[in-house]
Amino acid sequence: MKRTLIWKVNPEHPEPHHIAAAAEIIRRGGLVAFPTETVYGLGANALEAAAVRRIFAVKERPSHDPLIVHVASPAALDEVACEVPLVARQLAERFWPGPLTLVLPKAERIPAEVTAGGPTVAVRCPQHPVALALIRAAGVPIAAPSANRFGHTSPTTAEHVWEDLGGRIDLILDAGPTPVGVESTVLDVTQQPPVILRPGGLTKEELEAVLGQVALPKAKQLVVSATPAASPGLLARHYAPHTPLWFFLGPRMWALQQMGQLSRVWTAQGKRVGVIVATKDREYWSGSAVTVEILGDEQDTEGMARRLYGVLRALDQAGVDVILARDFGEAGLGLAIRDRLQRAAVRVVRPQDDDAPFLSDRDF
Ligand code: TXA
Ligand code: MG
C-alpha cells in the first residue's frame, strides 16, 4: 500500500507550488489524479513506457485498451500525432480546450503502451485550469484514462478517485466536482466522414455544425469481443455501478410503467429497488417504497450528465439490490447519457422485446 497524498487546489487559480510539485511527480514517472472538465484523470508521463504501464496496473485495466494523451494546446498536436489532416486542426482550433478527443496516426515518440500497440493515438486538450497548468508545468504530454478501477463508474469528485485508487497512486489533486460529468467525445478523424467512437461531453450537433456529417460506429463495433475493439470504451458493461442496473430504452410512459411494475414485484419480494428518473417523473413514484434519484430536468441534459455518475455511486452506497433507469432521448448530452447507461446495464429492455410484458417473471 502506497501513501496517497490529497491536496486541495483552487479550481480556477491552482496554487503554483502544488502544480509544480505534482508536475515533478509526473516527470519522475509517478501517478497523479487530476481534474479535467469531464471527469478526473489518472495521469502519467505519456513519453515514458514504465510510467504508463503503472496506470494499467493500478486500474487493473487490460493492456489492449489504449489511453488518451492530454496536451496543453492545439499546437501540441504534432508532438503526439503525425499526418494530421486539416479537419483535425479545424476541430482542435474550434473545440479545444474542451471535451473532444481526436484519434489520429501516432507520432513515433509515443510508446506502444499508450496506444495498446496500435497505429493511432487519441489526443485531447482539456478545459480545466488545473489540468492545463499541470500539463504545462510537466512539460510533457500526459497520458490519462479516467481515474477509476477498470469497468467502474468514472470519478467526478476526488472522493470517487480515493474510493477506487486510494493507496495505489502518488497524489490526488482535489479541485471539487468536475463541471461536465461525462467523458469526452472520442472522434476518429482517420475516417471520412469522421466517426464518433464514444459520444461524450461535446455533442453530435456541435460536431455536425462544423463537419456537416459525422458517423456513429457500425453496430458490429459495439459487440463485446475478445480481440481489441476499435475503441474498447465501447465494450459492454463498462462505466458500471456495482449494483445490477436495468436500462429501459424506449418512450417515457412505457419505461415508467415497466419500471413501476417491476419495482412493485421486487419490493413485494423484499428487494430494495433504486430508480433513476427526471424531475417530472417524481410524482409517478410518490408513496412507493423505491429509492428515487432525480437526475434533473429532461431538457437540461447538461445538468443530468453532471449528476449521472454521482447518482450511480449514491445508489451503490444506499445498498439497493437493483437499479432501474430510463432513457432521456438523444438530444444534447442525452446521447452520452444513453450510451453510459446502456453500457452500465446488465440488461437493456426495449419496447419491441418479445418478453417485455413478462419481465416481472424474471429475476435480475
Ligand atoms: O474525458 C475523458 O476522455 C477522460 C478524461 C480524463 O480526459 N478520459 C477518459 O479516458 O475517459 P478513458 O481511458 O477512460 O477512455 C478513453 C477512451 C476509451 O474508450 C479508449 O478505448 C478510447 O478512448 N481510445 C483511446 N485511444 C484510442 C485509439 N487510439 N483509438 C480508438 N479509441 C481510443
Ligand atoms: Mg474510463
Side-chain angles (χ1 to χ4, degrees), residues 11-296:
E12 297 301 326
H13 305 285
E15 295 74 1
H17 64 283
H18 281 338
I19 294 298
E24 182 61 22
I25 294 174
I26 295 277
R27 274 196 305 271
R28 291 185 179 194
L31 301 183
V32 176
F34 63 97
T36 77
E37 78 280 30
T38 57
V39 300
Y40 275 74
L42 177 61
N45 181 350
L47 304 180
E48 196 188 319
V52 171
R53 278 197 293 272
R54 243 168 253 140
I55 290 181
F56 286 90
V58 303
K59 276 193 61 127
E60 297 168 37
R61 178 176 174 122
S63 59
H64 62 67
D65 193 0
L67 305 179
I68 296 175
V69 175
H70 296 69
V71 295
S73 72
L77 254 179
D78 300 286
E79 290 170 25
V80 297
C82 63
E83 297 159 41
V84 178
L86 185 61
V87 67
R89 292 196 198 280
Q90 287 166 338
L91 289 168
E93 286 300 332
R94 173 76 181 76
F95 295 116
W96 283 4
L100 173 66
T101 295
L102 299 172
V103 172
L104 291 159
K106 89 174 193 62
E108 221 165 290
R109 70 203 285 246
I110 300 296
E113 279 78 359
V114 172
T115 65
T120 58
V121 64
V123 194
R124 94 173 185 101
C125 175
Q127 187 180 38
H128 193 296
V130 176
L132 287 171
L134 180 64
I135 303 164
R136 284 198 195 104
V140 291
I142 295 183
S146 50
N148 52 278
R149 299 265 187 112
F150 183 70
H152 194 207
T153 312
S154 296
T156 53
T157 66
E159 289 75 26
H160 296 165
V161 178
W162 172 261
E163 282 163 25
D164 274 23
L165 301 175
R168 293 178 169 220
I169 62 179
D170 298 293
L171 171 65
I172 302 172
L173 292 175
D174 177 1
T178 57
V180 176
V182 290
E183 302 84 348
S184 62
T185 300
V186 180
L187 187 72
D188 183 351
V189 281
T190 68
Q191 303 188 53
Q192 198 44 250
V195 181
I196 295 180
L197 296 177
R198 177 179 73 180
L202 186 74
T203 65
K204 185 163 173 271
E205 294 90 323
E206 285 171 288
L207 284 171
E208 278 166 347
V210 172
L211 295 172
Q213 209 192 348
V214 45
L216 288 168
K218 296 189 193 74
K220 71 172 169 34
Q221 283 177 280
L222 293 169
V223 172
V224 194
S225 77
T227 53
S231 189
L234 299 175
L235 293 179
R237 194 81 177 127
H238 209 83
Y239 310 105
H242 299 299
T243 314
L245 183 146
W246 285 41
F247 180 48
F248 294 81
L249 181 44
R252 172 171 178 259
M253 279 321 294
W254 166 85
L256 287 173
Q257 275 157 15
Q258 292 286 323
M259 292 160 75
Q261 190 187 339
L262 262 180
S263 61
R264 277 188 295 278
V265 172
W266 282 339
T267 46
Q269 293 170 0
K271 288 179 178 127
R272 295 179 56 201
V273 179
V275 296
I276 299 178
V277 292
T279 313
K280 71 173 178 184
D281 306 330
R282 192 196 302 262
E283 61 193 73
Y284 190 89
W285 301 95
S286 63
S288 83
V290 306
T291 303
V292 180
E293 284 285 352
I294 307 283
L295 219 46

